[in-house]
Amino acid sequence: MRFCALAFAVFFMGTTADAQTKIWGVGSATGVADAEFSNPFTNATSFTAGDNPTTWTALSVNENGGAVTPGNAYWTRDLNGYSSGAYWGGTTPISSPSQPNGVAMFDSDFLDNGGGGVQGTGTSPAAHRGELISPRIDLTGYTDSALTIQFYTLYRNFQMTELSIAVSVDDGQTWAATEDFRSAVPDLTQDFARVLFTNVTAGVANLSQCRIRFTFDGNYYFAIVDDVTIETAPVYDIALGGAEAGSNLLIGSGDNVKVGGNPYNALNNIVHANDIREWFWGSKAINVGYKDIVPSDSAAIHINIDFTDAVTGATTQGIYTDVMYYDSLPGGNVSGETQIDYLDDINFINTYGAGAYRVTYWVDHKNADGNAANDTARHTFTITDDAAPLRNYISKARLSANDGAVFSSRSIFPGGGPFSSWEYGSVYFFPRGESDTITIDSVSFRYRLTNNFSGAASQTLFCNVYEMDPSTGTLNDGALLTQIGIGTISLTGLGTTVAAGDYGLTTVTNFVNATGSGAMPGLKDNGFYYVSILTNPSLTTGPATFDSDDVPWLGADENNFYMNAAMTRVDSVNNPSPLKVVDAAGTTDWFWTGFGADIVPSIGLFLGVKPVNPVSVSTVYAAEGATFSVFPNPATDVLNFNFEAEEATDVMYILTDIAGRVLNVTQSLNVTKETQSIDISELPAGVYMLTAKAGNKNWTEKVVVD
């Protein structure tokens, strides 16, 4: 049997960058003040090449849905660093490095309502289009060079059709390339966007009068840009891909898999679960460099989960690790390649129990990478137990840092109107509903009144619980739902105790049987239940129809679950938050992902649990046909590993550190059974991963070096 062993430090990812030359803007020798938006803009309603060559031009194109041209739809230089619109409300500046110098903002919210909350009363009624055109930029000497434009950004999307950056090489006469940068940075996420322009300078001899242009086109809320840099593009730049603007696919609209699907889940609801249908991981990888990453480059995505105990606060690192490999990643393709797979098991939850599980994803490859800052993503899910204050708590929304209750990043209401009713909630899975005698003891949710609230001071809403048949995985009407419980919600002091424009928080208890007397029936094993908030004033002698200012809006949290929804199986429905709307004429419409799979209602469930007849956690979806083991573990000087396969196969063994840097690669051919060794005497103490890769399968073991 033949094999080759490679020395340590053969491939290092993230430590050696493919250096780029900064041509203009932040970090370069020219254009810094303009790139940091330190100088005033010039407002204009038309632009001709050669106009205002030494300042940014804020160009109004149209407003009021295109009814008014050009109108007053201007980008502005803003010194506050946050939206002044009525529907934002925050006063914390964006965290861009040069924010005090000024930022560029298209404040669609403020332009429409002037900050007062009455739509259409501002200087530029929505929807509108505005452009921001740079002064001249000299790119002489970079003919045939691929370019990357980097800038810090934060935006909040509502009905945005375009948020783009474009390049002109002829002083703004034509725009050779336009890229929507929402794929580079997700909605409501502050970060640097990096946009690749591969061919914009190809064959252009005179590059002395180039310009860049930012464009906002849409209906609410805002976009902020700061700290622009133009630089030569890296050869390779692997990155975790974000949601693709305009995509109508679950994968395209996703960013990464949120392990477990709920930011909060109850230990008693999962610790005895005998399958892992909701427990998977993965993401998409893209290459923002200009050269393709090919299979031999071994592009991979890694997962590492750390645990922080809910009682002691002690953190244990690396309680779960895994790796998957990508095929080819074409340069500049924001769609990239997606890898999703089930966890090998969830025994680590059984072992560690209640607390915070911090999930880290990162991507790497064999080559020097142009930018390490876009390689990593993190999220946290929390497992609750019987301890207060989160006693057996489940929610798809996060918790508020202010009061520890369910969090709302926005309020929502159906578009159009008037309505006779609307209902919005989320689906939850109970694998041991009957066996552990699980009940829904109470439901907490947030709501908000509009700035122009004119409804009754006392109103009644309802919290409904439906048993759901997930066999089709799609909810086109109410046929999959059987209502089993209902709780009455009495809201008072609307407009006074809860002021117009403010949020309220309430809790529902005492659920009763929806079809008769007595308490709500118990939950079934492996049951799916839709828990929703219903607004229907006519049920309590209120008005037959209502509009947005008549009733409370529901709170919601923006947390992208598109990638989870893409993993729906016949026997599992992951992360839907369905919406039912009935208009004034009585026409009913169901929307399976509600307001979008990136938005979930601010609803939290507190469970009653009486565990009986426990069963053990099973390991499912394990790799078949081969076994892989390492010993001793922990190890000090030498690490041994054993691989056995049913049929002869070529195997690559890859040793990485916890950050994903490859430290050793060993290749073996035609393996049916073998034992190999690696000298680890020079490695620092810590946690490492050893992966055996054979064909399209891989096996990973965590290694502790003393």
Side-chain angles (χ1 to χ4, degrees), residues 184-220:
V185 174
D187 184 30
L188 283 173
T189 302
Q190 296 190 47
D191 206 347
F192 279 101
R194 291 176 59 84
V195 182
L196 175 67
F197 293 92
T198 305
N199 301 311
V200 70
T201 67
V204 182
N206 181 6
L207 292 172
S208 63
Q209 296 184 345
C210 299
R211 295 180 187 268
I212 59 176
R213 179 186 70 190
F214 293 99
T215 299
F216 180 103
D217 193 335
N219 182 9
Y220 278 71

Side-chain angles (χ1 to χ4, degrees), residues 47-133:
F47 181 83
T48 304
D51 285 355
N52 306 313
T54 61
T55 184
W56 287 90
T57 300
L59 179 67
S60 179
V61 180
N62 62 61
E63 65 181 42
N64 200 16
V68 178
T69 303
N72 295 293
Y74 294 114
W75 285 78
T76 58
R77 174 176 174 258
D78 183 271
L79 295 176
N80 292 323
Y82 55 83
S83 169
S84 299
Y87 298 104
W88 177 242
T91 57
T92 301
I94 189 174
S95 298
S96 55
S98 70
Q99 179 272 321
N101 296 353
V103 301
M105 180 186 301
F106 194 94
D107 200 348
S108 176
D109 183 352
F110 179 76
L111 288 172
D112 179 72
N113 58 49
V118 180
Q119 296 180 346
T121 60
T123 59
S124 179
H128 30 213
R129 179 183 179 94
E131 300 175 353
L132 183 64
I133 302 171

Side-chain angles (χ1 to χ4, degrees), residues 222-383:
F222 65 84
I224 302 175
V225 171
D226 201 7
D227 295 307
V228 184
T229 301
I230 302 176
E231 62 186 22
T232 55
V235 179
Y236 304 103
D237 185 3
I238 195 171
L240 285 168
E244 299 164 37
S247 175
N248 58 1
L249 302 175
L250 292 173
I251 290 292
S253 300
D255 48 17
N256 58 67
V257 173
K258 310 299 191 294
V259 174
N262 295 332
Y264 291 85
N265 209 335
L267 182 63
N268 285 315
N269 191 44
I270 61 174
V271 70
H272 302 309
N274 58 6
D275 65 58
I276 54 172
R277 70 185 74 190
E278 290 191 305
W279 297 92
F280 44 91
W281 72 284
S283 187
K284 70 178 73 173
I286 62 175
N287 176 16
V288 195
Y290 64 83
K291 187 174 181 179
D292 294 352
I293 296 174
V294 297
S296 60
D297 295 325
S298 299
I301 179 171
H302 306 259
I303 184 176
N304 177 76
I305 301 179
D306 299 331
F307 171 74
T308 301
D309 189 271
V311 177
T312 67
T315 296
T316 306
Q317 297 181 339
I319 64 170
Y320 184 90
T321 61
D322 206 347
V323 61
M324 291 186 285
Y325 289 87
Y326 295 97
D327 192 4
S328 298
L329 296 173
N333 183 356
V334 297
S335 296
E337 183 181 341
T338 299
Q339 291 279 20
I340 304 178
D341 199 3
Y342 289 89
L343 299 178
D344 292 334
D345 58 64
I346 54 173
N347 285 315
F348 62 91
I349 298 178
N350 193 26
T351 299
Y352 289 95
Y357 292 77
R358 193 184 193 206
V359 182
T360 301
Y361 292 153
W362 71 96
V363 289
D364 58 21
H365 57 104
K366 288 182 178 179
N367 309 294
D369 198 59
N371 178 29
N374 54 14
D375 299 347
T376 305
R378 295 181 176 88
H379 74 91
T380 298
F381 65 91
T382 297
I383 302 301

Side-chain angles (χ1 to χ4, degrees), residues 82 258 290 510 556 656 662 691:
Y82 55 83
K258 310 299 191 294
Y290 64 83
N510 300 319
T656 65
V662 176
T691 297

Side-chain angles (χ1 to χ4, degrees), residues 172-193:
Q173 296 182 66
T174 60
W175 297 93
T178 301
E179 299 290 340
D180 196 306
F181 60 81
R182 285 174 289 173
S183 299
V185 174
D187 184 30
L188 283 173
T189 302
Q190 296 190 47
D191 206 347
F192 279 101

